[in-house]
Amino acid sequence: MTNVQLKSSTSTLYKVSKRIFDIAVSICIIILLSPLFIYVAIRIKKEDNGPVIFKQKRAGLNGEPFYIYKFRSMKIQTSSKKSSKNPYNWRGGVPDDFVFKNTNGFHPDVTKIGQFLRKYSVDEFPQFFNVLKGDMSIVGPRPEILEISDHYNDYQRQRLLVKPGITGWAQINGRSEIPHGQKVEYDLYYVKHQNGILDIKIFIRTIYQAIFGKGAI
Protein backbone atom coordinates (compact mmCIF):
# COMPACT_ATOMS: atom_id res chain seq x y z
CA MET A 1 0.00 0.00 0.00
CA THR A 2 1.49 3.30 -1.11
CA ASN A 3 0.48 6.91 -0.92
CA VAL A 4 -1.39 8.38 -3.86
CA GLN A 5 0.07 11.48 -5.49
CA LEU A 6 -2.51 13.87 -6.90
CA LYS A 7 -1.87 14.48 -10.61
CA SER A 8 -1.23 17.88 -12.11
CA SER A 9 -4.62 17.45 -13.80
CA THR A 10 -6.15 18.52 -10.49
CA SER A 11 -5.26 22.07 -11.51
CA THR A 12 -7.33 25.17 -10.97
CA LEU A 13 -8.65 24.87 -14.54
CA TYR A 14 -9.84 21.30 -13.96
CA LYS A 15 -11.42 22.18 -10.62
CA VAL A 16 -13.23 25.20 -12.06
CA SER A 17 -14.47 23.31 -15.13
CA LYS A 18 -15.62 20.41 -12.94
CA ARG A 19 -17.50 22.80 -10.67
CA ILE A 20 -19.20 24.40 -13.66
CA PHE A 21 -20.13 20.94 -14.96
CA ASP A 22 -21.50 19.98 -11.53
CA ILE A 23 -23.68 23.07 -11.26
CA ALA A 24 -24.95 22.98 -14.86
CA VAL A 25 -25.82 19.26 -14.84
CA SER A 26 -27.38 19.42 -11.37
CA ILE A 27 -29.64 22.33 -12.31
CA CYS A 28 -30.70 20.60 -15.53
CA ILE A 29 -31.45 17.31 -13.76
CA ILE A 30 -33.38 18.98 -10.95
CA ILE A 31 -35.52 20.91 -13.45
CA LEU A 32 -36.08 17.97 -15.81
CA LEU A 33 -36.87 15.52 -13.02
CA SER A 34 -38.92 17.89 -10.88
CA PRO A 35 -42.16 16.05 -11.80
CA LEU A 36 -40.55 12.79 -10.63
CA PHE A 37 -39.37 14.47 -7.42
CA ILE A 38 -42.92 15.67 -6.72
CA TYR A 39 -44.39 12.23 -7.48
CA VAL A 40 -41.88 10.47 -5.22
CA ALA A 41 -42.48 12.96 -2.41
CA ILE A 42 -46.24 12.39 -2.62
CA ARG A 43 -45.80 8.59 -2.62
CA ILE A 44 -43.47 8.68 0.39
CA LYS A 45 -45.81 10.98 2.30
CA LYS A 46 -48.88 8.96 1.35
CA GLU A 47 -47.38 5.64 2.50
CA ASP A 48 -46.75 6.55 6.15
CA ASN A 49 -47.02 10.36 6.40
CA GLY A 50 -43.37 10.57 7.45
CA PRO A 51 -40.64 12.96 6.29
CA VAL A 52 -39.77 12.88 2.61
CA ILE A 53 -36.06 13.59 2.99
CA PHE A 54 -33.61 11.53 5.04
CA LYS A 55 -30.46 13.31 6.25
CA GLN A 56 -27.31 11.57 7.47
CA LYS A 57 -23.82 12.75 8.35
CA ARG A 58 -21.13 11.62 5.94
CA ALA A 59 -17.40 12.21 5.54
CA GLY A 60 -16.70 14.90 2.96
CA LEU A 61 -13.55 16.43 1.53
CA ASN A 62 -10.62 15.83 3.92
CA GLY A 63 -13.00 14.04 6.27
CA GLU A 64 -15.11 17.12 7.05
CA PRO A 65 -18.64 15.94 7.95
CA PHE A 66 -21.72 17.16 6.10
CA TYR A 67 -25.36 16.12 5.83
CA ILE A 68 -26.20 14.05 2.77
CA TYR A 69 -29.76 14.15 1.40
CA LYS A 70 -31.78 11.17 0.24
CA PHE A 71 -35.41 10.35 -0.41
CA ARG A 72 -36.44 8.33 2.65
CA SER A 73 -36.75 4.64 1.75
CA MET A 74 -36.95 3.12 5.23
CA LYS A 75 -39.89 2.96 7.61
CA ILE A 76 -40.08 5.84 10.08
CA GLN A 77 -39.18 3.87 13.20
CA THR A 78 -36.13 2.44 11.42
CA SER A 79 -34.82 5.57 9.70
CA SER A 80 -35.18 7.59 12.91
CA LYS A 81 -33.17 5.22 15.10
CA LYS A 82 -29.99 6.81 16.39
CA SER A 83 -27.11 5.49 18.44
CA SER A 84 -24.21 7.44 19.86
CA LYS A 85 -22.07 4.29 19.99
CA ASN A 86 -19.95 3.30 17.01
CA PRO A 87 -20.95 -0.29 16.13
CA TYR A 88 -17.50 -1.08 14.75
CA ASN A 89 -14.34 -1.72 16.76
CA TRP A 90 -11.75 -2.32 14.04
CA ARG A 91 -8.07 -1.66 14.63
CA GLY A 92 -5.61 -0.73 11.90
CA GLY A 93 -8.27 0.25 9.36
CA VAL A 94 -11.50 -1.07 7.88
CA PRO A 95 -11.15 -4.77 6.93
CA ASP A 96 -10.70 -5.34 3.20
CA ASP A 97 -13.46 -7.98 3.14
CA PHE A 98 -16.03 -5.75 4.82
CA VAL A 99 -19.26 -5.17 2.84
CA PHE A 100 -21.55 -2.48 4.21
CA LYS A 101 -24.84 -3.79 2.83
CA ASN A 102 -26.32 -6.58 0.79
CA THR A 103 -28.59 -5.51 -2.07
CA ASN A 104 -29.95 -8.99 -2.77
CA GLY A 105 -33.64 -9.31 -1.97
CA PHE A 106 -35.80 -6.82 -0.06
CA HIS A 107 -35.08 -5.56 3.44
CA PRO A 108 -38.18 -5.85 5.70
CA ASP A 109 -37.81 -2.25 6.90
CA VAL A 110 -37.77 -0.76 3.40
CA THR A 111 -41.05 0.86 2.37
CA LYS A 112 -42.94 -0.18 -0.75
CA ILE A 113 -41.93 2.95 -2.62
CA GLY A 114 -38.47 2.59 -1.10
CA GLN A 115 -37.92 -0.70 -2.93
CA PHE A 116 -38.33 1.10 -6.25
CA LEU A 117 -36.24 4.07 -5.10
CA ARG A 118 -33.33 1.85 -4.12
CA LYS A 119 -33.43 -0.45 -7.14
CA TYR A 120 -33.10 2.46 -9.56
CA SER A 121 -31.07 4.72 -7.21
CA VAL A 122 -33.84 7.34 -7.26
CA ASP A 123 -33.34 7.79 -3.51
CA GLU A 124 -29.96 9.37 -4.34
CA PHE A 125 -31.40 12.14 -6.55
CA PRO A 126 -31.70 14.78 -3.76
CA GLN A 127 -27.89 14.71 -3.61
CA PHE A 128 -27.88 17.01 -6.64
CA PHE A 129 -28.78 19.67 -4.06
CA ASN A 130 -25.67 18.60 -2.11
CA VAL A 131 -23.73 19.20 -5.32
CA LEU A 132 -25.19 22.68 -5.72
CA LYS A 133 -24.24 23.46 -2.11
CA GLY A 134 -20.67 22.38 -2.83
CA ASP A 135 -20.59 19.48 -0.36
CA MET A 136 -20.33 16.94 -3.18
CA SER A 137 -19.46 16.58 -6.83
CA ILE A 138 -21.32 14.52 -9.39
CA VAL A 139 -18.28 12.24 -9.78
CA GLY A 140 -16.04 11.17 -6.91
CA PRO A 141 -15.71 8.52 -4.20
CA ARG A 142 -19.01 7.86 -2.46
CA PRO A 143 -19.19 9.68 0.91
CA GLU A 144 -18.77 7.19 3.76
CA ILE A 145 -20.73 7.18 6.99
CA LEU A 146 -18.66 8.54 9.88
CA GLU A 147 -18.84 5.29 11.84
CA ILE A 148 -16.75 3.69 9.09
CA SER A 149 -14.52 6.58 8.01
CA ASP A 150 -13.48 7.12 11.65
CA HIS A 151 -11.69 3.75 11.39
CA TYR A 152 -9.74 4.50 8.20
CA ASN A 153 -6.01 3.92 8.28
CA ASP A 154 -3.67 6.35 6.51
CA TYR A 155 -3.94 4.46 3.23
CA GLN A 156 -7.74 4.32 3.22
CA ARG A 157 -7.99 7.98 4.29
CA GLN A 158 -6.51 9.01 0.93
CA ARG A 159 -9.95 8.52 -0.68
CA LEU A 160 -10.96 11.67 1.22
CA LEU A 161 -8.45 13.81 -0.72
CA VAL A 162 -11.10 14.69 -3.28
CA LYS A 163 -14.70 15.86 -2.93
CA PRO A 164 -17.13 12.92 -2.61
CA GLY A 165 -19.49 12.21 -5.48
CA ILE A 166 -22.94 10.91 -6.32
CA THR A 167 -21.23 8.25 -8.38
CA GLY A 168 -17.65 7.12 -8.89
CA TRP A 169 -15.22 4.66 -10.42
CA ALA A 170 -16.04 2.06 -7.76
CA GLN A 171 -19.79 2.36 -8.41
CA ILE A 172 -19.55 1.60 -12.13
CA ASN A 173 -17.24 -1.33 -11.40
CA GLY A 174 -19.44 -3.20 -8.96
CA ARG A 175 -21.33 -0.61 -6.93
CA SER A 176 -22.30 -1.78 -3.42
CA GLU A 177 -21.62 -5.47 -4.07
CA ILE A 178 -17.83 -5.13 -3.85
CA PRO A 179 -15.87 -5.48 -0.57
CA HIS A 180 -14.32 -2.44 1.08
CA GLY A 181 -10.73 -3.18 0.07
CA GLN A 182 -11.62 -3.34 -3.61
CA LYS A 183 -13.76 -0.21 -3.32
CA VAL A 184 -10.82 1.70 -1.84
CA GLU A 185 -8.56 0.54 -4.69
CA TYR A 186 -11.07 1.80 -7.25
CA ASP A 187 -11.49 5.10 -5.39
CA LEU A 188 -7.76 5.68 -5.16
CA TYR A 189 -7.44 4.94 -8.88
CA TYR A 190 -9.86 7.81 -9.44
CA VAL A 191 -8.03 10.08 -7.00
CA LYS A 192 -4.79 9.46 -8.91
CA HIS A 193 -6.17 9.63 -12.46
CA GLN A 194 -9.08 12.07 -12.22
CA ASN A 195 -9.68 14.16 -15.31
CA GLY A 196 -12.58 15.48 -17.34
CA ILE A 197 -12.74 12.54 -19.75
CA LEU A 198 -12.81 10.02 -16.90
CA ASP A 199 -15.56 12.03 -15.16
CA ILE A 200 -17.74 11.98 -18.28
CA LYS A 201 -17.13 8.25 -18.78
CA ILE A 202 -18.22 7.51 -15.20
CA PHE A 203 -21.26 9.77 -15.55
CA ILE A 204 -22.48 8.08 -18.75
CA ARG A 205 -21.95 4.55 -17.42
CA THR A 206 -23.80 5.49 -14.24
CA ILE A 207 -26.86 6.55 -16.25
CA TYR A 208 -26.82 3.16 -18.00
CA GLN A 209 -26.60 1.26 -14.71
CA ALA A 210 -29.34 3.35 -13.08
CA ILE A 211 -31.73 2.76 -16.00
CA PHE A 212 -31.29 -1.00 -15.80
CA GLY A 213 -31.29 -1.11 -11.99
CA LYS A 214 -27.93 -2.81 -11.72
CA GLY A 215 -27.13 -2.85 -7.98
CA ALA A 216 -27.46 0.09 -5.61
CA ILE A 217 -25.13 3.02 -5.22
Side-chain angles (χ1 to χ4, degrees), residues 52-63:
V52 172
I53 299 296
F54 169 74
K55 297 193 300 182
Q56 185 184 50
K57 275 190 176 182
R58 297 288 182 99
L61 178 64
N62 296 319

Side-chain angles (χ1 to χ4, degrees), residues 131-145:
V131 174
L132 289 180
K133 287 178 59 181
D135 296 326
M136 296 176 62
S137 180
I138 290 178
V139 178
R142 283 295 295 166
E144 193 68 88
I145 61 173

Side-chain angles (χ1 to χ4, degrees), residues 8-168:
S8 58
S9 61
T10 56
S11 62
T12 300
L13 178 61
Y14 170 71
K15 291 178 181 178
V16 170
S17 61
K18 183 171 184 175
R19 182 61 182 153
I20 293 174
F21 174 82
D22 284 344
I23 293 174
V25 172
S26 295
I27 291 176
C28 288
I29 289 178
I30 290 172
I31 293 175
L32 289 174
L33 298 184
S34 56
L36 175 62
F37 286 11
I38 294 172
Y39 170 76
V40 169
I42 293 174
R43 284 289 307 272
I44 293 174
K45 203 71 178 175
K46 184 177 180 181
E47 184 160 343
D48 58 12
N49 201 36
V52 172
I53 299 296
F54 169 74
K55 297 193 300 182
Q56 185 184 50
K57 275 190 176 182
R58 297 288 182 99
L61 178 64
N62 296 319
E64 288 295 319
F66 72 97
Y67 280 103
I68 195 174
Y69 304 139
K70 289 188 175 189
F71 281 124
R72 181 175 59 85
S73 60
M74 302 286 284
K75 296 176 181 177
I76 299 175
Q77 64 270 24
T78 303
S79 61
S80 62
K81 286 180 181 178
K82 293 183 179 180
S83 175
S84 58
K85 184 178 179 181
N86 192 318
Y88 308 110
N89 58 0
W90 301 308
R91 294 181 182 276
V94 181
D96 287 344
D97 60 354
F98 171 73
V99 178
F100 179 63
K101 60 182 178 180
N102 186 353
T103 60
N104 295 325
F106 295 124
H107 192 287
D109 290 330
V110 175
T111 61
K112 292 180 180 179
I113 181 64
Q115 294 173 359
F116 167 80
L117 298 180
R118 289 188 168 199
K119 180 177 180 180
Y120 295 98
S121 298
V122 177
D123 59 326
E124 309 287 348
F125 284 3
Q127 287 159 42
F128 286 105
F129 289 100
N130 282 119
V131 174
L132 289 180
K133 287 178 59 181
D135 296 326
M136 296 176 62
S137 180
I138 290 178
V139 178
R142 283 295 295 166
E144 193 68 88
I145 61 173
L146 301 184
E147 290 82 0
I148 293 179
S149 64
D150 285 346
H151 289 283
Y152 280 173
N153 56 34
D154 291 341
Y155 178 75
Q156 295 166 344
R157 198 170 291 114
Q158 292 177 102
R159 71 187 298 272
L160 304 176
L161 290 174
V162 299
K163 191 178 292 186
I166 294 177
T167 184

